Structures are given as C-alpha cells and as structure tokens.
Amino acid sequence: MNPKNFKSTKRFSGFPCTHRQWRAESHCRFVHGYSREFYFEFEGKELTKEGWVVDFGGLKEVKAWLNHMFDHTFLVSQDDPAMEEFKKLDEAGVIQLRVMPNPGMEGSAQYVYEEASKILKKLYGDRVWISMVQVSENENNSAIFTP
C-alpha cells in the first residue's frame, strides 16, 4: 500500500471578520464582513505510529494563528489607498487591523496555505504537507488554493 494515498481533512469555522476589495467597482469595495471557514486537506508520505496523517489535537498552533488573523479582525490589502486611515483606527482601538497581500477569498486561501504550511513544517518536517486549502465567506462563496 502506498501511504501517499492517505489524506486527512480538518475544518475550522466561526471566524467573523471584515474586509474590503478596494479595486472592485461593485459594493465589494465597501467594508463588509463574513464568518469565515477554513478547510484543509493534509497528505503524508507515511502515517504516525498511531496511524494518522496529522494529529488533529496537535493543530493548536494553526488554530491560534487563524484566531489571531481572522477572529473579529479587519483585513486589508497591503496596497489599500486608505491604509493610513485604517492604521489610525487600529491605533485608536476601533479595529484589529490585519494586512495581507489580498484579503479576498482567493488571496486568503493562498495566504492561509503559505502560513499554515510553515507551522506544519515545524511540526512534521517533510512528512506531511497541505494539499488544499478552501476558504469560505458564507455557504455560497468559497475559493480553493492548491500548491
């Protein structure tokens, strides 16, 4: 049996945050919010001694990072022209500013993949990797990033 055939999945849900797509010509250019959900697929070269791809209970650092980035935060693109105003609101304690390359679903999926992969590398080395990240903003809209 080839252990590369084993995958496991983990879903983290309930991350209320706001963002805006300043380049959009639609209403998406305004600050708006969703409760985001993150779905991961993990793949491994071999299983642990317990027979797992990943220890779900061992993903606390991934969850803590997701909480820091997406729990009651305001996500803004690193090139948003209103950045100085957002920084002032953050300094005044009005928002919890988080700067990303692209706070939309596609950009968030890639960003989450990249950051969570760093955490996984510390935990498992090269034995396990993320094969897919899906970020949902609601039950109708999501984006997927695969490396």
Side-chain angles (χ1 to χ4, degrees):
M1 182 173 3
N2 180 355
K4 280 186 74 172
N5 292 331
F6 288 103
K7 285 188 176 185
S8 61
T9 66
K10 179 70 174 171
R11 185 177 312 274
F12 296 95
S13 58
F15 294 89
C17 58
T18 58
H19 73 280
R20 79 181 199 126
Q21 293 286 70
W22 72 268
R23 287 186 180 89
E25 294 181 18
S26 67
H27 61 275
C28 291
R29 73 184 183 278
F30 300 117
V31 174
H32 58 288
Y34 298 102
S35 186
R36 292 188 180 200
E37 181 173 281
F38 304 91
Y39 174 81
F40 292 84
E41 286 187 358
F42 304 101
E43 192 169 336
K45 294 178 184 175
E46 58 189 45
L47 301 177
T48 66
K49 67 181 184 336
E50 299 85 3
W52 304 332
V53 176
V54 297
D55 175 2
F56 295 132
L59 297 174
K60 291 175 178 59
E61 190 176 347
V62 172
K63 185 172 185 197
W65 180 80
L66 290 171
N67 277 325
H68 169 76
M69 282 301 298
F70 300 102
D71 186 18
H72 290 83
T73 58
F74 175 61
L75 312 173
V76 65
S77 178
Q78 61 195 14
D79 62 351
D80 193 304
M83 181 67 76
E84 291 309 310
E85 287 86 351
F86 296 139
K87 285 181 179 178
K88 288 176 187 170
L89 290 171
D90 182 61
E91 290 166 6
V94 175
I95 62 172
Q96 292 188 93
L97 182 64
R98 302 293 184 264
V99 179
M100 301 171 56
N102 172 0
M105 293 302 99
E106 294 82 359
S108 292
Q110 180 178 5
Y111 185 69
V112 167
Y113 164 81
E114 290 167 354
E115 295 301 315
S117 289
K118 293 175 190 173
I119 296 169
L120 229 60
K121 181 95 166 156
K122 287 191 313 189
L123 294 172
Y124 296 108
D126 292 330
R127 188 185 68 76
V128 175
W129 59 92
I130 299 170
S131 55
M132 189 268 279
V133 173
Q134 180 177 13
V135 178
S136 302
E137 62 185 14
N138 58 39
E139 62 278 357
N140 297 319
N141 302 328
S142 71
I144 293 172
F145 180 81
T146 55

